[in-house]
Amino acid sequence: MDVLKSLASAPSVEHYHLLLLIGALVSIVLYPYLGFLLGTSYLSNRFNRKGRKERNALYLRLAKNLAEIALVNKTVPTVFALLPALSLLFVYAQLLQSTASLAVSFAGFGFIALLAAVILLYAYKYTFQLGDFLEGYKEVLQSTKKPGDGLSSLQEYSDSNERLHLLFGQYGVVLTVVAAFFVASAFVVASNPVNWEHIDSIFSLFLSFDVYVRFLQFLALSAGATGFGVLFFTFSWNRTEEEPGEAYAALVRTLSMRLITGSLLTLPVLLLLGYFLLPGESLSGVLFGIAGLSLGFLLLAAQFVYTYERGKEPHHAASALYVFGCAAALLSVNDQVALYNATKGQAAYLSYRHETEIEELKSKLGVSGVVLTGEDIFNAKCSACHAVDQKKVGPAYKDVVPKYVGRKEQMMAFVLNPIKINPAFPPMPGQGLKPAEADSIVSYLLRKLGPADTKGAAPGQTAPKK
Ligand code: HEC
């Protein structure tokens, strides 16, 4: 998957923001849908086996409906799962190019597993229908006067269909879990710069606590999406169908309520734990604001479910699902905010590379514009507040520049986007430099004050006092 990273070209700042936006939009649909797919297919398998063993028609009916909800037609999984997972892969490849991060590979594994899972779950759904059809045919044959050989070969066929059917279901669920795990890992590895270096193989991934917390978060979301979704699709969606019937309705209600309660109790705790594990640079006020808002939505969803339980009004089940969907959407947006916070430095570096690439292209084409020298920029933009050897509004360069020797990128990142450093000074205002300009002023200062030149420079001007 690293090929993708090397194919990507450095994005400009606008392009970078666009990438984050695409990431946010696709994860808003991907996570809840993937959770719903996992929940419904897992439960469908469970009720299917249980129903067959206990010859319980109600369980089988539930299993069949669950197998169909998330995969009604081919468009739904394509639009809600496959395309988003693929887009996420490309977003990571662009954002994390030239880093060591394995997020792109993990997102790639996730996509492949998801593709296989969707195919298997489709086969599971079709063999379910085929099984029903074969049963019906068997009954017809049995009721005729002389069933003959037809019946035994039919029996054989339907047995093998059932064996395959159960296998498809089982492996479909396993692969969905694998896909979800890798999608979760890709995010964990992308949103924390420490993990870019730290998680350097699948093994270190399995040893990382963060990944498990994230995966548990996903499972809690999945339980919620399944509970709210099943409630909605059984009682509120498509009311023209026949009434579900008392016993069936009760079964669905108990199941959904359990899922919803489990989800609403665990999700907030796991979310807090997740924020706690993010590094300082990935956190921000916006992040906590959105998190608070999504907790509010979760509470509201709980309230709607409670009202639904009491009055059994279908539209309350619908509102509960919508509100839960809003909470889930906000959580996905939050992921993107964390990713934005984590990749800010990376973005500054990439947009610098973008500009140099463009400059190179321009000079190749002979349309190169005038580039200001470091000295020009110093005189125009910095000299008001800085001098080499005396303190003005900002610190003397001889006191601050030497610490950046060998760390040119960090110095560029500071000049492009100053942060508060020394409490003895006011914060430095942003200078609105282009990355290429920041490059020249920083190179100029480092040349002037770096170790190689200090001896040769005019006395009193540059020799740093220790
Ligand atoms: C309006 C005043 C002002 C201007 C203009 C200004 N700076 Fe600063 N600069 C400051 C202040 C104040 C600080 C101390 C900030 C702090 O420590 O939080 C500072 C700190 C710095 C530092 C030290 C950072 C560190 O790690 O301690 C560097 C390097 C720097 N400025 C470079 C520049 C360059 C290059 C320019 C011109 C493009 C520039 N500054 C323009 C006010 C200014």
Side-chain angles (χ1 to χ4, degrees):
M1 297 297 163
D2 276 0
V3 195
L4 284 178
K5 273 200 293 195
S6 55
L7 279 182
S9 66
S12 64
V13 179
E14 295 81 13
H15 184 176
Y16 166 74
H17 285 288
L18 189 68
L19 285 172
L20 284 169
L21 188 68
I22 295 176
L25 289 179
V26 299
S27 33
I28 284 177
V29 291
L30 177 63
Y31 290 117
Y33 178 77
L34 193 55
F36 186 59
L37 180 68
L38 178 62
T40 48
S41 42
Y42 168 74
L43 290 170
S44 170
N45 267 273
R46 249 190 54 184
F47 281 103
N48 195 0
R49 278 161 201 273
K50 214 167 142 192
R52 269 160 219 271
K53 229 195 256 150
E54 299 175 12
R55 304 199 162 278
N56 184 329
L58 218 52
Y59 285 168
L60 283 178
R61 177 172 162 206
L62 179 59
K64 186 150 180 264
N65 286 341
L66 285 172
E68 283 167 3
I69 292 185
L71 298 173
V72 248
N73 53 32
K74 292 198 184 69
T75 321
V76 169
T78 312
V79 170
F80 288 94
L82 296 174
L83 289 181
L86 195 61
S87 321
L88 219 49
L89 173 64
F90 283 104
V91 167
Y92 286 148
Q94 287 265 312
L95 286 184
L96 298 171
Q97 54 183 296
S98 77
T99 70
S101 176
L102 285 181
V104 184
S105 309
F106 293 151
F109 296 155
F111 173 73
I112 294 168
L114 190 59
L115 185 64
V118 167
I119 293 174
L120 284 175
L121 289 175
Y122 248 100
Y124 172 72
K125 177 184 134 177
Y126 279 119
T127 42
F128 224 139
Q129 290 163 351
L130 185 60
D132 275 3
F133 172 75
L134 291 175
E135 281 306 310
Y137 192 45
K138 230 162 40 189
E139 271 164 33
V140 173
L141 270 190
Q142 271 161 350
S143 65
T144 58
K145 289 283 170 304
K146 35 182 186 347
D149 298 346
L151 194 60
S152 69
S153 61
L154 185 64
Q155 184 63 43
E156 232 168 69
Y157 186 60
S158 106
D159 284 349
S160 83
N161 179 58
E162 174 160 334
R163 256 195 319 278
L164 273 180
H165 166 64
L166 293 176
L167 277 182
F168 286 150
Q170 196 177 352
Y171 285 105
V173 171
V174 170
L175 280 173
T176 316
V177 172
V178 172
F181 183 79
F182 277 115
V183 171
S185 312
F187 173 75
V188 168
V189 177
S191 62
N192 184 343
V194 177
N195 286 342
W196 294 356
E197 307 279 328
H198 189 67
I199 296 188
D200 54 2
S201 67
I202 291 237
F203 299 104
S204 46
L205 177 70
F206 285 123
L207 293 179
S208 149
F209 183 60
D210 306 14
V211 170
Y212 294 103
V213 172
R214 175 78 187 172
F215 187 58
L216 287 177
Q217 276 179 10
F218 174 77
L219 291 183
L221 179 81
S222 167
T226 313
F228 284 108
V230 168
L231 205 60
F232 170 76
F233 285 109
T234 314
F235 299 111
S236 182
W237 181 260
N238 214 349
R239 297 299 291 159
T240 48
E241 271 181 19
E242 24 131 20
E243 283 294 310
E246 253 328 295
Y248 183 73
L251 179 65
V252 173
R253 260 189 215 115
T254 329
L255 179 69
S256 314
M257 286 307 154
R258 273 197 203 142
L259 289 168
I260 291 173
T261 318
S263 165
L264 291 181
L265 289 180
T266 48
L267 196 53
V269 180
L270 288 167
L271 285 175
L272 283 183
L273 189 59
Y275 292 133
F276 186 68
L277 289 174
L278 279 178
E281 65 250 47
S282 301
L283 297 176
S284 67
V286 179
L287 191 101
F288 284 111
I290 298 182
L293 205 60
S294 66
L295 288 184
F297 273 115
L298 286 180
L299 276 180
L300 196 62
Q303 174 65 34
F304 273 119
V305 168
Y306 178 69
T307 340
Y308 172 75
E309 256 306 270
R310 287 211 321 207
K312 308 275 187 296
E313 292 276 357
H315 68 265
H316 285 141
S319 314
L321 178 71
Y322 296 146
V323 173
F324 182 77
C326 291
L330 283 177
L331 291 174
S332 310
V333 171
N334 235 2
D335 286 351
Q336 241 42 36
V337 174
L339 194 62
Y340 164 74
N341 291 337
T343 52
K344 254 189 217 161
Q346 163 77 359
Y349 167 68
L350 287 179
S351 76
Y352 153 69
R353 259 195 29 203
H354 171 77
E355 296 224 348
T356 33
E357 272 166 23
I358 295 219
E359 284 308 322
E360 269 166 27
L361 187 66
K362 272 191 186 161
S363 65
K364 246 189 235 159
L365 298 174
V367 290
S368 178
V370 193
V371 177
L372 292 177
T373 66
E375 197 165 358
D376 295 338
I377 297 170
F378 172 75
N379 289 329
K381 298 221 159 178
C382 320
S383 59
C385 299
H386 290 285
V388 169
D389 50 6
Q390 78 191 37
K391 206 161 91 177
K392 290 168 87 174
V393 181
Y397 277 148
K398 71 174 166 40
D399 294 333
V400 286
V401 175
K403 76 178 175 198
Y404 285 111
V405 170
R407 296 167 59 228
K408 181 172 160 195
E409 265 155 35
Q410 276 87 346
M411 184 162 169
M412 276 186 54
F414 174 84
V415 174
L416 282 170
N417 189 5
I419 43 170
K420 185 82 205 87
I421 293 186
N422 188 342
F425 288 96
M428 167 168 147
Q431 296 303 308
L433 294 179
K434 297 213 184 76
E437 293 168 341
D439 190 22
S440 7
I441 173 75
V442 164
S443 314
Y444 167 75
L445 289 175
L446 285 173
R447 228 173 20 244
K448 212 167 150 76
L449 291 154
D453 248 45
T454 33
K455 284 160 243 114
Q461 245 208 347
T462 48
K465 274 189 208 114
K466 291 278 151 73

